[in-house]
Amino acid sequence: FSKLREMRIDLKSYTPIFVGGGSILFRKMIDKYLGVHGIKKFRFVNSIRANTDGYLKLYQAELMAGR
């Protein structure tokens, strides 16, 4: 989270969405951190395949665009 602060990304201004297996593994730590910092709006995508599914959709869109 310190890297996000360095990049001046304010998690209170956005609704963070945590996706995939890594977010599932670190969910308790993420919940605790966000709670301590008063961030109440956030979402988890609990599918371990979420990243793979997303990249597949991007790949298929590129194919359809003829790139």
Side-chain angles (χ1 to χ4, degrees), residues 17-55:
I17 301 172
F18 299 94
V19 178
S23 66
I24 294 169
L25 290 173
F26 293 104
R27 183 171 185 149
K28 287 182 183 178
M29 183 182 77
I30 293 169
D31 281 336
K32 182 178 178 181
Y33 177 86
L34 296 177
V36 166
H37 288 85
I39 300 167
K40 297 183 185 349
K41 289 176 49 179
F42 55 92
R43 293 192 54 205
F44 282 90
V45 176
N46 291 319
S47 170
I48 199 163
R49 293 180 38 106
N51 288 315
T52 303
D53 293 342
Y55 280 112

Side-chain angles (χ1 to χ4, degrees), residues 1-9:
F1 292 106
S2 61
K3 186 67 171 174
L4 293 174
R5 278 194 305 262
E6 288 175 21
M7 296 171 64
R8 299 187 189 277
I9 295 174

